[in-house]
Amino acid sequence: MDIAYSMLKFKFGLLIFFAVVCLYWTWSIYIKLNTNKYPAKIHWQILISHQTITPIKDTTHLMVSAYKDHRVDGAIRIISIIRRDDLQPLHCFLCGGHGCFPASVAQVEMHSDHFGFPFVTTDVLCQSPSMYNVTHVTISIHSDIKATQNQHFLSIQNKELREEKIFPYNFTVCISNLFGGYNNVLQFVQTMEMYKLLGVQRVVIYNTSCGQDLEPVLVHYREEGILEIVEWPIDQFLNPSKGWRFEEHKGDLHYYGQLTTLNECIYRYMYQSKYVLLHDIDEIVMPYQHANLHLLLEDLQHQHPRVGVFVIENHIFPKNHYEDSGKFKLPQWREIPGINILEHIYREPSREAVINPTKLIVNPRHVVQTSVHSVLKTLGETFWVPPDVCRLVHVRVPLQGSLTKDQLLVDKKLWEYEKELVQNVDNTLRKSGLLL
């Protein structure tokens, strides 16, 4: 009886042993067949870029930033600058706490607007495995992961999907570029203070170069909390054009990378701001029937609930025509470099056969790709806002230079804010050390 019992225990133990061996063997085979799902541990520490422009190794291309796009199955969208006539197949490498994944083929989407320049703003899409928390990504022309040892990785942003009710900002202005030692201090400060009076809570500036008088102003606004300065040293990597037409201005890239920075800003603030305004520093989106931007967009969105892109007409206020009384030729501003926008109340009339240039107010969650004056890919509808409801006040050199003052339209909309505006401009200039 004892012998029979011992044999039974031996057979049972042997059965368990073989069962464990079979399970281990099956699991090993499964792992080997699913290497694309389980990342191999890397044996080196990845290099992480902390710059706004990062070269792609062994190419002329550049990476700018990487964002998780929750609208396209969580793919990683890398805002890039690609040379159009030198595009090789690109590969994505994604890394996280489990190591780095084997290469996957990148999907390259060049933007349709490039104005003839050799380099174009491009979205490089990398598919991200949903079961892992990937944190960094890079692009390579090589498919071997060993080739990434000396390639910098970008941190992946927008990993969390936020609801609109918890966005920190309602209105963010994206200023594409400051370059050429920009030093138009007075107009800059007046514009920033008008933004604040209209309800803007955040301004983003991509800065290539500015003048020494403007620098303390930028520091003041950054410390105040309204301004984010994104360093944009594009001239260290390419020969950027000072204009928008390749035939006329030449260079590698349109207007210091304006198209790239506008797209980058949309993704940067996609889950931080309810609306994003895309225009230049010498332009002000001015509501003409509402006291501020909040009331304007509340009304427009109520009338057009499916619209995610609002197109605003640009109207020129020539800087060579001055208001006659000189009431805003203030002595404290005499030594401040730049244009005094309050002195320019004459607006060029619209021309019947000419469409006015436009800029945009967008819901960034509705925009996939944008150009300067219109969106290239959108998930919602577009609405052209009538100029009597809202227009861009743009003080600059005249577009219709032959018109006399009598042929221009008087527009004193800015004067409705004169008391607060003058006081706030003085305060900022004083805090920036430009006024005693």
Side-chain angles (χ1 to χ4, degrees):
M1 188 72 176
D2 289 340
I3 295 174
Y5 179 71
S6 296
M7 287 297 294
L8 182 63
K9 285 176 61 178
F10 174 75
K11 290 179 180 179
F12 184 71
L14 197 63
L15 181 63
I16 292 176
F17 172 77
F18 280 113
V20 170
V21 169
C22 288
L23 284 172
Y24 178 79
W25 180 79
T26 303
W27 178 251
S28 299
I29 295 297
Y30 180 78
I31 291 294
K32 290 178 181 179
L33 293 176
N34 289 273
T35 53
N36 287 335
K37 296 181 181 179
Y38 293 86
K41 291 282 188 179
I42 59 174
H43 300 289
W44 59 86
Q45 185 174 4
I46 63 172
L47 300 175
I48 299 174
S49 175
H50 299 287
Q51 308 303 315
T52 51
I53 301 173
T54 304
I56 300 175
K57 186 181 175 183
D58 299 328
T59 76
T60 58
H61 313 317
L62 304 168
M63 299 185 296
V64 177
S65 52
Y67 296 93
K68 185 170 183 177
D69 195 334
H70 300 274
R71 305 166 302 179
V72 286
D73 297 325
I76 308 304
R77 185 180 300 270
I78 305 172
I79 310 296
S80 307
I81 300 173
I82 300 291
R83 186 175 177 92
R84 293 187 291 128
D85 62 357
D86 189 31
L87 178 61
Q88 314 95 316
L90 297 176
H91 299 87
C92 303
F93 291 93
L94 293 158
C95 296
H98 292 82
C100 291
F101 286 83
S104 61
V105 177
Q107 178 183 342
V108 179
E109 297 183 355
M110 291 185 178
H111 291 207
S112 57
D113 270 7
H114 48 69
F115 300 102
F117 289 90
F119 285 81
V120 59
T121 301
T122 302
D123 294 341
V124 178
L125 294 175
C126 299
Q127 294 303 315
S128 174
S130 58
M131 71 284 291
Y132 285 105
N133 178 28
V134 293
T135 56
H136 296 85
V137 64
T138 196
I139 309 168
S140 177
I141 59 172
H142 307 290
S143 59
D144 187 349
I145 195 169
K146 292 180 181 179
T148 68
Q149 289 188 58
N150 296 315
Q151 167 70 36
H152 280 83
F153 283 70
L154 302 180
S155 297
I156 298 172
Q157 304 175 63
N158 290 355
K159 289 189 291 183
E160 299 299 325
L161 180 63
R162 283 186 177 181
E163 299 295 332
E164 287 191 3
K165 60 184 178 181
I166 61 172
F167 291 166
Y169 310 109
N170 285 322
F171 297 98
T172 295
V173 175
C174 292
I175 304 299
S176 55
N177 302 85
L178 293 185
F179 59 87
Y182 180 88
N183 205 44
N184 188 353
V185 176
L186 185 55
Q187 184 171 5
F188 182 93
V189 175
Q190 289 175 331
T191 302
M192 288 288 292
E193 297 303 328
M194 269 307 311
Y195 290 162
K196 290 195 286 186
L197 291 174
L198 293 172
V200 171
Q201 299 144 307
R202 191 70 161 171
V203 178
V204 187
I205 288 179
Y206 291 77
N207 183 29
T208 301
S209 66
C210 68
Q212 61 179 6
D213 298 297
L214 188 64
E215 287 180 359
V217 173
L218 296 180
V219 171
H220 163 75
Y221 282 124
R222 185 171 56 191
E223 291 177 349
E224 188 180 70
I226 190 175
L227 179 64
E228 178 181 6
I229 302 172
V230 180
E231 297 302 330
W232 185 247
I234 189 64
D235 50 355
Q236 296 179 18
F237 299 90
L238 299 173
N239 175 28
S241 173
K242 296 178 174 62
W244 69 274
R245 291 183 70 250
F246 177 69
E247 295 81 4
E248 179 181 350
H249 301 104
K250 303 304 179 183
D252 294 325
L253 182 67
H254 166 269
Y255 216 42
Y256 281 81
Q258 180 185 33
L259 294 168
T260 305
T261 56
L262 290 176
N263 281 275
E264 205 282 335
C265 197
I266 284 177
Y267 283 89
R268 180 179 289 256
Y269 278 83
M270 183 165 290
Y271 299 112
Q272 293 193 64
S273 189
K274 186 173 183 179
Y275 296 102
V276 168
L277 289 68
L278 305 173
H279 53 78
D280 296 335
I281 190 59
D282 58 355
E283 299 169 331
I284 299 171
V285 175
M286 179 62 68
Y288 274 68
Q289 297 180 10
H290 303 80
N292 53 50
L293 291 169
H294 173 75
L295 294 175
L296 168 69
L297 267 297
E298 186 178 54
D299 198 7
L300 288 175
Q301 205 73 80
H302 178 73
Q303 297 174 37
H304 311 280
R306 296 188 178 183
V307 168
V309 177
F310 296 94
V311 181
I312 313 296
E313 282 191 17
N314 187 321
H315 289 255
I316 305 299
F317 290 65
K319 69 176 186 177
N320 60 323
H321 290 295
Y322 293 82
E323 185 270 328
D324 291 327
S325 73
K327 66 178 291 188
F328 289 108
K329 202 172 185 66
L330 302 178
Q332 68 268 33
W333 296 347
R334 193 173 298 148
E335 302 300 321
I336 306 299
I339 297 169
N340 179 357
I341 62 177
L342 290 172
E343 293 187 275
H344 304 285
I345 61 170
Y346 297 99
R347 171 165 52 87
E348 291 184 355
S350 296
R351 291 168 287 179
E352 191 171 314
V354 178
I355 298 176
N356 289 324
T358 58
K359 294 295 174 66
L360 307 170
I361 301 175
V362 303
N363 174 338
R365 274 85 52 205
H366 285 212
V367 177
V368 180
Q369 297 177 357
T370 191
S371 185
V372 179
H373 305 292
S374 62
V375 292
L376 302 177
K377 291 185 180 181
T378 178
L379 304 177
E381 297 178 3
T382 298
F383 177 71
W384 193 295
V385 180
D388 63 328
V389 175
C390 180
R391 65 166 58 96
L392 279 166
V393 173
H394 191 183
V395 180
R396 49 153 284 173
V397 295
L399 201 59
Q400 303 175 54
S402 62
L403 297 181
T404 65
K405 188 183 289 188
D406 292 338
Q407 295 173 301
L408 300 172
L409 305 171
V410 176
D411 186 335
K412 298 181 179 180
K413 183 64 180 178
L414 285 174
W415 287 13
E416 295 179 15
Y417 302 85
E418 62 174 278
K419 184 176 180 181
E420 285 182 286
L421 181 58
V422 170
Q423 181 179 348
N424 294 347
V425 168
D426 284 348
N427 287 339
T428 293
L429 292 173
R430 195 171 293 112
K431 290 177 181 178
S432 301
L434 300 176
L435 279 185
L436 298 177

